[in-house]
Amino acid sequence: MNKITAIKGIKDILPADAPVWHKVETVARDIFERFGFREIRVPIMEKTVLFQRSIGETTDIVEKEMYTFRDRDDELLTLRPEATASIIRAYIEHNMAAADSIVKLFTFGPMFRRERPQKGRFRQFHQIDVELFGDETPAADAEVIFMLIHFFETLGLNQLSLEINSLGCKACRPQFSKAVVDFLKGSESSLCPDCQRRIHTNPLRVFDCKVEDCASVIMDAPLITEYLCTDCDTHFASVKSLLADLKMSFTVNPKMVRGLDYYTKTAFEVKTGSLGAQNSLAGGGRYDGLVSFLGGPQVPGIGFGIGMERLIACLPADPAGKFSTDIFVAALGAPAQKIGFRLTNELRRAGISAAMDYSDKSLKSQMKRADRQNSSYTLIIGEREIEENRAELRDMNTKQQQSLPLEDICPALVKIIKKR
RNA sequence: GUGGGUGUAGCUCAAUUGGUCAGAGUGCCGGGUUGUGGCCCCGGAGGUUGAGGGUUCAAGCCCCUUCACUCACCCCA
């Protein structure tokens, strides 16, 4: 029979890796709550229309990457490819705007995109997602970006680059877009086939093409910064100055265009040099029209997503998280096994991490297991001990042993172990 | 969806131009120590060399097909 494996691009997080994940989540929770954000848990499935409307019908995500299926009542459902849409849906559905004009939320969890996997890219991947509703000031942009960088630094990540840009709004972006199309049409023949296609589908994408000819063509193209309306322009200037006030180093990348349709004004991305081709650790931006577009009130929003797998891949290895046990109970013979079984579980109930081998192997083999589990103590109960109503407690580091009476041994052990 | 690379023991990898090549290290189990871990020594289990077909006297090695993994493109976290 063929062995059943995990689905392509979908990975197990094994016990050896789980502590890092746990740490990242704990640090995120700590920091985000300090900035006034509160955790929300949203479902990993939504009605397909939610993503179609929010992300954009013509984006790659919606066109070819979503895991969509028909429910038994014929409704189309989708495994979420990103978290923002769900959070906005929840924000609207629970009328959060009415309770407070400013709402700050974060969430963790798996996202699903059916792409070809490669280094730093998976079909199920995890994001930390942050959203801030109801604050249109540039200070909100700067705060969110500052928090993101602070989070990375707390985890020990440096050598990151922060890039920002402004994508304009629905007043000025269409004009810019048209200017780019007009410009590109002039030199259409020298563009790569992909970019020739992009002129019609998503012209701004030509800006991140890596083909040399395209790059040299686009070098002289008009830049969004030249087309920003006064509102967007002053907003962007203000964001930059606030970031400078916070001593943040960043570069303005006027060629950065983010993949999701809904972004307006500020867009940002954090990159690392140590990750191969998929070097984007986090990305986000402002989406001032999206909440109302999805049927909610006219409320601005800004947020970002962090790729957890990519983040963890960059993290310095942490050797600290070794699994250990307080005490290993080594029992020899049936009567000792019986006593040991009861004692082991009593110890656990008393808050001690205890382990035992139930198969009555040789003492040597039980000691080996105790060693492998990094147990601080081993309690030896053999036939001799039972006869004399006692047990031998061995300190695994000092090799010192002491004899303890079997009667009331549990509280005695708890006392010794807790004192350590 | 397109292209490149790689598939040998649980893990990391060896195996001359195709010719006893199915191995090592590590891990696991056991023994050396009739009841005491780590170090050392000895032994054992574990592989239809991803799968299927072909060429050949002979294939882990060459050819074809297929699957898986991986990297890159597209795109994104």
Side-chain angles (χ1 to χ4, degrees):
Chain A
M1 194 154 82
N2 286 353
K3 83 176 146 188
I4 300 172
T5 58
I7 302 166
K8 182 198 287 288
I10 298 187
K11 306 281 194 185
D12 297 306
I13 296 166
L14 298 172
D17 300 318
V20 191
W21 285 75
H22 191 81
K23 182 183 170 188
V24 167
E25 287 170 0
T26 305
V27 170
R29 232 179 228 118
D30 264 19
I31 291 177
F32 297 168
E33 286 179 353
R34 201 187 308 152
F35 279 78
F37 288 80
R38 297 179 64 199
E39 182 168 352
I40 182 172
R41 301 196 186 194
V42 287
I44 62 166
M45 254 196 293
E46 297 279 357
K47 295 175 185 173
T48 302
V49 284
L50 174 65
F51 301 116
Q52 288 171 336
R53 262 206 276 185
S54 63
I55 299 171
E57 295 275 10
T58 65
T59 55
D60 277 19
I61 292 180
V62 171
E63 272 183 349
K64 50 187 197 198
E65 294 175 0
M66 295 204 302
Y67 281 99
T68 295
F69 62 96
R70 203 171 282 283
D71 197 1
R72 292 178 180 223
D73 62 0
D74 277 354
E75 184 163 49
L76 281 179
L77 303 180
T78 294
L79 257 34
R80 64 179 181 194
E82 55 113 51
T84 304
S86 299
I87 293 182
I88 293 177
R89 196 223 77 232
Y91 174 82
I92 296 170
E93 191 168 338
H94 300 97
N95 234 322
M96 294 190 206
D100 195 338
S101 61
I102 292 182
V103 174
K104 302 165 102 173
L105 302 170
F106 70 92
T107 197
F108 311 136
M111 309 294 159
F112 304 84
R113 275 143 60 171
R114 200 185 185 291
E115 302 179 88
R116 222 29 201 275
Q118 71 186 67
K119 191 180 177 73
R121 181 161 67 201
F122 312 94
R123 289 187 175 179
Q124 174 177 327
F125 60 101
H126 297 74
Q127 281 190 345
I128 301 174
D129 196 82
V130 168
E131 310 292 345
L132 194 171
F133 298 101
D135 192 337
E136 62 183 358
T137 68
D141 304 37
E143 173 185 282
V144 159
I145 293 171
F146 176 71
M147 181 173 83
L148 172 62
I149 299 296
H150 172 58
F151 169 65
F152 282 142
E153 283 173 349
T154 304
L155 286 172
L157 253 71
N158 23 42
Q159 310 256 308
L160 299 176
S161 71
L162 168 64
E163 295 183 359
I164 64 171
N165 192 21
S166 176
L167 301 177
C169 60
K170 64 173 183 289
C172 51
R173 182 141 52 141
Q175 290 170 46
F176 166 65
S177 200
K178 185 174 182 307
V180 172
V181 172
D182 289 345
F183 169 85
L184 289 174
K185 281 199 169 147
S187 33
E188 186 164 354
S189 55
S190 38
L191 294 173
C192 72
D194 278 333
C195 285
Q196 295 192 14
R197 174 177 53 80
R198 287 185 183 116
I199 291 179
H200 306 101
T201 56
N202 200 342
L204 302 192
R205 285 248 141 253
V206 178
F207 279 104
D208 16 71
C209 186
K210 284 147 197 154
V211 176
E212 215 171 290
D213 288 343
C214 301
S216 64
V217 167
I218 206 73
M219 201 138 63
D220 304 317
L223 293 176
I224 178 75
T225 36
E226 298 158 2
Y227 281 78
L228 294 178
C229 61
T230 13
D231 183 28
C232 290
D233 193 45
T234 55
H235 184 96
F236 191 41
S238 186
V239 170
K240 285 185 284 190
S241 118
L242 288 168
L243 287 176
D245 280 354
L246 291 169
K247 305 272 186 282
M248 308 278 299
S249 59
F250 60 89
T251 56
V252 174
N253 178 359
K255 296 177 180 172
M256 179 176 74
V257 286
R258 301 207 48 76
L260 289 67
D261 280 359
Y262 53 64
Y263 286 117
T264 56
K265 291 186 176 164
T266 313
F268 54 94
E269 191 164 342
V270 177
K271 291 182 179 172
T272 170
S274 63
L275 220 56
Q278 306 306 321
N279 60 356
S280 175
L281 281 186
R286 183 166 275 288
Y287 45 87
D288 285 347
L290 186 57
V291 176
S292 62
F293 183 68
L294 288 176
Q298 191 69 48
V299 168
I302 181 167
F304 61 77
I306 303 172
M308 291 185 76
E309 282 83 358
R310 291 181 188 179
L311 165 59
I312 284 167
C314 292
L315 247 34
D318 181 19
K322 222 173 165 191
F323 192 81
S324 66
T325 306
D326 292 324
I327 185 166
F328 188 95
V329 177
L332 303 167
Q337 281 277 328
K338 203 173 168 195
I339 293 169
F341 178 73
R342 198 174 58 225
L343 176 59
T344 301
N345 287 296
E346 272 171 15
L347 284 164
R348 290 166 174 165
R349 186 166 53 196
I352 300 295
S353 66
M356 180 178 163
D357 188 325
Y358 297 141
S359 54
D360 199 16
K361 293 214 177 88
S362 72
L363 180 58
K364 174 173 176 159
S365 119
Q366 295 195 48
M367 295 287 291
K368 271 186 163 173
R369 172 147 275 121
D371 191 51
R372 206 180 313 142
Q373 299 202 352
N374 280 308
S375 69
S376 308
Y377 294 96
T378 298
L379 187 76
I380 299 164
I381 313 173
E383 275 139 29
R384 279 209 295 276
E385 284 76 12
I386 286 184
E387 255 172 51
E388 297 166 29
N389 244 306
R390 62 182 179 86
E392 283 287 302
L393 182 66
R394 179 179 177 87
D395 183 317
M396 294 299 274
N397 295 319
T398 65
K399 294 178 156 184
Q400 301 223 314
Q401 288 187 197
Q402 57 179 308
S403 213
L404 299 173
L406 266 181
E407 200 178 348
D408 282 333
I409 195 168
C410 185
L413 288 171
V414 170
K415 211 167 148 190
I416 292 171
I417 291 166
K418 290 231 166 119
K419 200 168 67 187
R420 226 176 129 80

